[in-house]
Amino acid sequence: MSLKEEKEYLGVVKEKLKNTLLLINERVKSQARELHETKKYLYENKAGMDHVEKVSVRQSVTQGALLGEGAVKKRKQIQKLLESPYFGRIDFSEKGHHDSIALYIGVHSFFDESTGVNLIHDWRAPISSMFYDFELGEAFYLAPAGKVEGSISLKRQYRIRRGKLEYMLENASNVYDELLQQELSRASDNKMKNIVATIQRDQNPIVRNETSRVLIIQGVAGSGKTSIALHRIAFLLYRFKDTISADNILIISPNKVFADYIANVLPELGEEKIPEMGMEELAAKVLENKYQFQTFFEQVALLLEKNDKGLRERIQFKSSGDFLSKLEQYLVHINNEYFVPADIVVSRSPVPAWFIKEKFESFHRLPIMKRFAYIAQAIEENIRYYYKKEVSLAERKEILSEVTKMFRITNLRLLYKDFYGWLGRPELLKMTVRSKYEYADVFPLVYLKLRLEGYQAFENVKHLLVDEMQDYSPVHYAVLARLFPCNKTILGDANQKVSLLGSSTAEAIKGVFQEADVVKLRRSYRSTFEITRFAQQILPDSDLIAMERHGEMPALKGHPDEMEEVRSVSEHIKEFQKSGYHSMGLICKTPQQADWLYEQLNGAAGSIARITDQSAAYSTGIVITTVHLSKGLEFDKVIVPFVTSQNYKTELDKHLLYIACTRAMHLLELSYSKSPSKFIEK
């Protein structure tokens, strides 16, 4: 079937979808009318109905409501299919049959009732697995009735937007990423096809992994790890649709902008929007909003602005595996030393200290603070059994109060402060100017609360997805392990650190989740070969394999002063607005630099969005933001301003510059005034 014939076939499918949509709309209206009439009948005649008739009518109302909901859901699916009916096709001939059938694959299935043919197969259906698992040649899928074998003679992918076929790609292997699809649709040689086939063989087992309790994906910049993780979630939602729904998934995202940026990925795969939460939001929830603390963004900004040695030392220590070990040792210490039982008398009945100590130790599986109520209950039962006395409500409260007092410190704030005294390092706990906890103290505080007071685990969450894993320390993961006893997908890149002080590697995280499986994605394809090679000169990554998708060399531009640099950036913005590209990122090191540049440019250069830590949505077009907030995002063109010897000079700065450069897909420019950073001067 030629491109022309494919477009004609698309038109036929769209027409059938439109007709189905009209029928569904009529069905929804009819069911709404029937439901209204039934409810009206029930209201007007309920006095004269017997019990059986009332139950029958109520069941009719419930059934009508369910049918209506089903029709509305189907209508949403058809509307989505009209935008993009399908994205793939395989021609499959079953063993023993000479004729092949064309199987079109989309985000939902579509059955044509007039012909009795399934025109579109859901991408997660068993028969669709061949699209992902096999190249041309022998193939099979596992149907409910058993294994079906045969062969694939043709494989195509399509990009259909707003009902129009933009391009068609014929390739032996499936390609997830749109950027790769576009490159392949233009490529005429086999070299690109072989590269993409290798990428897909790396990615597909990750998407369809059903067995790993914890899967850690270490992916180099531009390897498509976030997209792959989201495809994995969508696959699991379909594969286990009887036991897991979108509400049972939680994404831990680095910020609201990133969460909004990825929000459209899963809906495009046919799923409902997945709940997401930031680490700070999680901490505030567990701490019941009783503690004020600095955000991760504020911590990073402070480090970049002041480079406070004491702050760096505090963060570095609290981000280490050794720190988590010290916390564990402290918990053992207070369990052994801080509970000092004493004899008490209740209603003239003595309760010996040895009995109280014995009960404290017998409840060792409970958090320390939770044991007190159980000890008090045991004392009450002891008095009732041995002294034949009933304990009054007032006495019950007094028993609990006396037992609680036997523990040396019961206040969480004071216990956390005491921990540093026990370490012999009280200077490591320092509040911010507004009496907030530093961000590095937040999750140690949360962990102590979990161990001392307990907290109901998020049992509704059946799969946890954690992105930007390199930004979190062992204490973060120890908290997540206790709060989420479910399967997990954890992903990130050790080189994309914005603080140098977090848990940066898959191996470090595996120290907490020892049952974890680790996979590595080494092939980078977001940026052109020239941009990737340039970024590698800033921060070499021996794991990274650059895909040879060629483009313009990155540009380095020097200027006599910052105002001249701003004028140059303004000219680039005007040129970009006339180009065919869609997105441009101006990525600054600090929020102050981004604010200043925004003020200088916004009046002269047209519509520019400023993404801050308070932003809740991703903006398309031209944006100004910081390196920290650009992580996970990608732009057609990136300009990194103020790359001077003073602005980018430390080891942390090198990582920041690397992140900024690897956000660019097609074009990259770095500018500076006076002297360039040592990372680019060569």
PDB file of all heavy atoms in Angstrom, residues 440-459:
ATOM      1  N   ALA A 440      18.294  19.533  53.642  1.00  0.00           N
ATOM      2  CA  ALA A 440      19.035  18.309  53.954  1.00  0.00           C
ATOM      3  C   ALA A 440      18.550  17.644  55.243  1.00  0.00           C
ATOM      4  O   ALA A 440      18.838  16.470  55.490  1.00  0.00           O
ATOM      5  CB  ALA A 440      20.527  18.613  54.060  1.00  0.00           C
ATOM      6  N   ASP A 441      17.812  18.383  56.071  1.00  0.00           N
ATOM      7  CA  ASP A 441      17.295  17.830  57.329  1.00  0.00           C
ATOM      8  C   ASP A 441      15.887  17.253  57.188  1.00  0.00           C
ATOM      9  O   ASP A 441      15.409  16.563  58.092  1.00  0.00           O
ATOM     10  CB  ASP A 441      17.273  18.914  58.412  1.00  0.00           C
ATOM     11  CG  ASP A 441      18.662  19.307  58.860  1.00  0.00           C
ATOM     12  OD1 ASP A 441      19.425  18.412  59.244  1.00  0.00           O
ATOM     13  OD2 ASP A 441      18.978  20.511  58.823  1.00  0.00           O
ATOM     14  N   VAL A 442      15.221  17.536  56.085  1.00  0.00           N
ATOM     15  CA  VAL A 442      13.798  17.185  55.969  1.00  0.00           C
ATOM     16  C   VAL A 442      13.584  15.682  56.001  1.00  0.00           C
ATOM     17  O   VAL A 442      12.787  15.169  56.799  1.00  0.00           O
ATOM     18  CB  VAL A 442      13.184  17.784  54.681  1.00  0.00           C
ATOM     19  CG1 VAL A 442      11.729  17.356  54.544  1.00  0.00           C
ATOM     20  CG2 VAL A 442      13.290  19.293  54.700  1.00  0.00           C
ATOM     21  N   PHE A 443      14.282  14.939  55.157  1.00  0.00           N
ATOM     22  CA  PHE A 443      14.016  13.502  55.085  1.00  0.00           C
ATOM     23  C   PHE A 443      14.631  12.709  56.237  1.00  0.00           C
ATOM     24  O   PHE A 443      14.060  11.691  56.641  1.00  0.00           O
ATOM     25  CB  PHE A 443      14.380  12.963  53.703  1.00  0.00           C
ATOM     26  CG  PHE A 443      13.260  13.199  52.726  1.00  0.00           C
ATOM     27  CD1 PHE A 443      13.132  14.421  52.094  1.00  0.00           C
ATOM     28  CD2 PHE A 443      12.290  12.243  52.516  1.00  0.00           C
ATOM     29  CE1 PHE A 443      12.068  14.678  51.237  1.00  0.00           C
ATOM     30  CE2 PHE A 443      11.221  12.482  51.664  1.00  0.00           C
ATOM     31  CZ  PHE A 443      11.103  13.703  51.023  1.00  0.00           C
ATOM     32  N   PRO A 444      15.750  13.154  56.833  1.00  0.00           N
ATOM     33  CA  PRO A 444      16.144  12.527  58.096  1.00  0.00           C
ATOM     34  C   PRO A 444      15.066  12.691  59.172  1.00  0.00           C
ATOM     35  O   PRO A 444      14.789  11.760  59.931  1.00  0.00           O
ATOM     36  CB  PRO A 444      17.419  13.293  58.469  1.00  0.00           C
ATOM     37  CG  PRO A 444      17.992  13.714  57.163  1.00  0.00           C
ATOM     38  CD  PRO A 444      16.812  14.032  56.305  1.00  0.00           C
ATOM     39  N   LEU A 445      14.439  13.868  59.196  1.00  0.00           N
ATOM     40  CA  LEU A 445      13.355  14.117  60.145  1.00  0.00           C
ATOM     41  C   LEU A 445      12.156  13.212  59.857  1.00  0.00           C
ATOM     42  O   LEU A 445      11.558  12.629  60.772  1.00  0.00           O
ATOM     43  CB  LEU A 445      12.942  15.594  60.061  1.00  0.00           C
ATOM     44  CG  LEU A 445      12.111  16.184  61.203  1.00  0.00           C
ATOM     45  CD1 LEU A 445      12.896  16.163  62.508  1.00  0.00           C
ATOM     46  CD2 LEU A 445      11.696  17.610  60.870  1.00  0.00           C
ATOM     47  N   VAL A 446      11.829  13.081  58.576  1.00  0.00           N
ATOM     48  CA  VAL A 446      10.729  12.193  58.170  1.00  0.00           C
ATOM     49  C   VAL A 446      11.049  10.752  58.561  1.00  0.00           C
ATOM     50  O   VAL A 446      10.183  10.025  59.084  1.00  0.00           O
ATOM     51  CB  VAL A 446      10.473  12.294  56.648  1.00  0.00           C
ATOM     52  CG1 VAL A 446       9.482  11.209  56.198  1.00  0.00           C
ATOM     53  CG2 VAL A 446       9.942  13.668  56.275  1.00  0.00           C
ATOM     54  N   TYR A 447      12.290  10.339  58.319  1.00  0.00           N
ATOM     55  CA  TYR A 447      12.673   8.957  58.620  1.00  0.00           C
ATOM     56  C   TYR A 447      12.564   8.674  60.123  1.00  0.00           C
ATOM     57  O   TYR A 447      12.063   7.624  60.534  1.00  0.00           O
ATOM     58  CB  TYR A 447      14.097   8.691  58.135  1.00  0.00           C
ATOM     59  CG  TYR A 447      14.503   7.237  58.248  1.00  0.00           C
ATOM     60  CD1 TYR A 447      13.898   6.273  57.440  1.00  0.00           C
ATOM     61  CD2 TYR A 447      15.465   6.819  59.158  1.00  0.00           C
ATOM     62  CE1 TYR A 447      14.252   4.932  57.536  1.00  0.00           C
ATOM     63  CE2 TYR A 447      15.822   5.483  59.262  1.00  0.00           C
ATOM     64  CZ  TYR A 447      15.207   4.548  58.455  1.00  0.00           C
ATOM     65  OH  TYR A 447      15.551   3.213  58.564  1.00  0.00           O
ATOM     66  N   LEU A 448      13.018   9.631  60.947  1.00  0.00           N
ATOM     67  CA  LEU A 448      12.886   9.464  62.397  1.00  0.00           C
ATOM     68  C   LEU A 448      11.427   9.339  62.802  1.00  0.00           C
ATOM     69  O   LEU A 448      11.074   8.510  63.647  1.00  0.00           O
ATOM     70  CB  LEU A 448      13.515  10.657  63.128  1.00  0.00           C
ATOM     71  CG  LEU A 448      14.993  10.572  63.518  1.00  0.00           C
ATOM     72  CD1 LEU A 448      15.365  11.750  64.394  1.00  0.00           C
ATOM     73  CD2 LEU A 448      15.306   9.269  64.250  1.00  0.00           C
ATOM     74  N   LYS A 449      10.586  10.159  62.195  1.00  0.00           N
ATOM     75  CA  LYS A 449       9.151  10.087  62.515  1.00  0.00           C
ATOM     76  C   LYS A 449       8.585   8.710  62.178  1.00  0.00           C
ATOM     77  O   LYS A 449       7.833   8.125  62.963  1.00  0.00           O
ATOM     78  CB  LYS A 449       8.380  11.172  61.760  1.00  0.00           C
ATOM     79  CG  LYS A 449       6.863  11.126  62.005  1.00  0.00           C
ATOM     80  CD  LYS A 449       6.127  12.185  61.224  1.00  0.00           C
ATOM     81  CE  LYS A 449       4.615  11.998  61.314  1.00  0.00           C
ATOM     82  NZ  LYS A 449       4.077  12.202  62.656  1.00  0.00           N
ATOM     83  N   LEU A 450       8.947   8.196  61.008  1.00  0.00           N
ATOM     84  CA  LEU A 450       8.451   6.884  60.603  1.00  0.00           C
ATOM     85  C   LEU A 450       8.891   5.799  61.574  1.00  0.00           C
ATOM     86  O   LEU A 450       8.107   4.909  61.930  1.00  0.00           O
ATOM     87  CB  LEU A 450       8.935   6.535  59.194  1.00  0.00           C
ATOM     88  CG  LEU A 450       8.438   7.419  58.047  1.00  0.00           C
ATOM     89  CD1 LEU A 450       9.029   6.940  56.727  1.00  0.00           C
ATOM     90  CD2 LEU A 450       6.921   7.413  57.967  1.00  0.00           C
ATOM     91  N   ARG A 451      10.147   5.865  61.994  1.00  0.00           N
ATOM     92  CA  ARG A 451      10.684   4.835  62.891  1.00  0.00           C
ATOM     93  C   ARG A 451      10.182   4.992  64.326  1.00  0.00           C
ATOM     94  O   ARG A 451      10.035   3.998  65.040  1.00  0.00           O
ATOM     95  CB  ARG A 451      12.217   4.870  62.863  1.00  0.00           C
ATOM     96  CG  ARG A 451      12.844   4.520  61.522  1.00  0.00           C
ATOM     97  CD  ARG A 451      12.561   3.067  61.129  1.00  0.00           C
ATOM     98  NE  ARG A 451      12.960   2.134  62.167  1.00  0.00           N
ATOM     99  CZ  ARG A 451      14.206   1.680  62.327  1.00  0.00           C
ATOM    100  NH1 ARG A 451      15.167   2.066  61.483  1.00  0.00           N
ATOM    101  NH2 ARG A 451      14.492   0.843  63.285  1.00  0.00           N
ATOM    102  N   LEU A 452       9.937   6.231  64.740  1.00  0.00           N
ATOM    103  CA  LEU A 452       9.541   6.477  66.130  1.00  0.00           C
ATOM    104  C   LEU A 452       8.027   6.487  66.323  1.00  0.00           C
ATOM    105  O   LEU A 452       7.516   5.964  67.308  1.00  0.00           O
ATOM    106  CB  LEU A 452      10.115   7.805  66.620  1.00  0.00           C
ATOM    107  CG  LEU A 452      11.638   7.870  66.736  1.00  0.00           C
ATOM    108  CD1 LEU A 452      12.095   9.300  66.960  1.00  0.00           C
ATOM    109  CD2 LEU A 452      12.129   6.977  67.862  1.00  0.00           C
ATOM    110  N   GLU A 453       7.321   7.103  65.393  1.00  0.00           N
ATOM    111  CA  GLU A 453       5.878   7.270  65.547  1.00  0.00           C
ATOM    112  C   GLU A 453       5.074   6.395  64.604  1.00  0.00           C
ATOM    113  O   GLU A 453       3.889   6.145  64.834  1.00  0.00           O
ATOM    114  CB  GLU A 453       5.493   8.744  65.318  1.00  0.00           C
ATOM    115  CG  GLU A 453       6.171   9.704  66.286  1.00  0.00           C
ATOM    116  CD  GLU A 453       5.825  11.159  65.982  1.00  0.00           C
ATOM    117  OE1 GLU A 453       4.929  11.401  65.151  1.00  0.00           O
ATOM    118  OE2 GLU A 453       6.454  12.045  66.586  1.00  0.00           O
ATOM    119  N   GLY A 454       5.696   5.965  63.503  1.00  0.00           N
ATOM    120  CA  GLY A 454       4.979   5.179  62.509  1.00  0.00           C
ATOM    121  C   GLY A 454       4.144   6.065  61.604  1.00  0.00           C
ATOM    122  O   GLY A 454       3.912   7.243  61.886  1.00  0.00           O
ATOM    123  N   TYR A 455       3.710   5.509  60.480  1.00  0.00           N
ATOM    124  CA  TYR A 455       2.856   6.232  59.535  1.00  0.00           C
ATOM    125  C   TYR A 455       2.212   5.206  58.624  1.00  0.00           C
ATOM    126  O   TYR A 455       2.852   4.236  58.221  1.00  0.00           O
ATOM    127  CB  TYR A 455       3.686   7.225  58.706  1.00  0.00           C
ATOM    128  CG  TYR A 455       2.849   8.184  57.877  1.00  0.00           C
ATOM    129  CD1 TYR A 455       2.321   9.330  58.446  1.00  0.00           C
ATOM    130  CD2 TYR A 455       2.580   7.920  56.538  1.00  0.00           C
ATOM    131  CE1 TYR A 455       1.547  10.219  57.705  1.00  0.00           C
ATOM    132  CE2 TYR A 455       1.804   8.799  55.782  1.00  0.00           C
ATOM    133  CZ  TYR A 455       1.298   9.946  56.375  1.00  0.00           C
ATOM    134  OH  TYR A 455       0.525  10.810  55.643  1.00  0.00           O
ATOM    135  N   GLN A 456       0.949   5.414  58.328  1.00  0.00           N
ATOM    136  CA  GLN A 456       0.239   4.488  57.447  1.00  0.00           C
ATOM    137  C   GLN A 456       0.851   4.528  56.051  1.00  0.00           C
ATOM    138  O   GLN A 456       0.914   5.579  55.422  1.00  0.00           O
ATOM    139  CB  GLN A 456      -1.240   4.869  57.370  1.00  0.00           C
ATOM    140  CG  GLN A 456      -2.085   3.927  56.542  1.00  0.00           C
ATOM    141  CD  GLN A 456      -2.179   2.532  57.155  1.00  0.00           C
ATOM    142  OE1 GLN A 456      -2.362   2.390  58.355  1.00  0.00           O
ATOM    143  NE2 GLN A 456      -2.021   1.513  56.322  1.00  0.00           N
ATOM    144  N   ALA A 457       1.317   3.377  55.584  1.00  0.00           N
ATOM    145  CA  ALA A 457       1.917   3.316  54.248  1.00  0.00           C
ATOM    146  C   ALA A 457       0.864   3.634  53.188  1.00  0.00           C
ATOM    147  O   ALA A 457      -0.334   3.470  53.406  1.00  0.00           O
ATOM    148  CB  ALA A 457       2.514   1.933  54.009  1.00  0.00           C
ATOM    149  N   PHE A 458       1.335   4.109  52.025  1.00  0.00           N
ATOM    150  CA  PHE A 458       0.442   4.427  50.910  1.00  0.00           C
ATOM    151  C   PHE A 458       0.053   3.115  50.214  1.00  0.00           C
ATOM    152  O   PHE A 458       0.549   2.792  49.137  1.00  0.00           O
ATOM    153  CB  PHE A 458       1.132   5.374  49.928  1.00  0.00           C
ATOM    154  CG  PHE A 458       1.335   6.764  50.456  1.00  0.00           C
ATOM    155  CD1 PHE A 458       2.355   7.049  51.356  1.00  0.00           C
ATOM    156  CD2 PHE A 458       0.509   7.804  50.063  1.00  0.00           C
ATOM    157  CE1 PHE A 458       2.556   8.332  51.844  1.00  0.00           C
ATOM    158  CE2 PHE A 458       0.697   9.095  50.541  1.00  0.00           C
ATOM    159  CZ  PHE A 458       1.718   9.356  51.430  1.00  0.00           C
ATOM    160  N   GLU A 459      -0.853   2.378  50.848  1.00  0.00           N
ATOM    161  CA  GLU A 459      -1.184   1.047  50.341  1.00  0.00           C
ATOM    162  C   GLU A 459      -1.966   1.102  49.035  1.00  0.00           C
ATOM    163  O   GLU A 459      -2.008   0.117  48.290  1.00  0.00           O
ATOM    164  CB  GLU A 459      -1.969   0.276  51.408  1.00  0.00           C
ATOM    165  CG  GLU A 459      -1.094  -0.050  52.629  1.00  0.00           C
ATOM    166  CD  GLU A 459      -1.850  -0.788  53.704  1.00  0.00           C
ATOM    167  OE1 GLU A 459      -3.084  -0.945  53.552  1.00  0.00           O
ATOM    168  OE2 GLU A 459      -1.218  -1.193  54.698  1.00  0.00           O
TER     169      GLU A 459
END
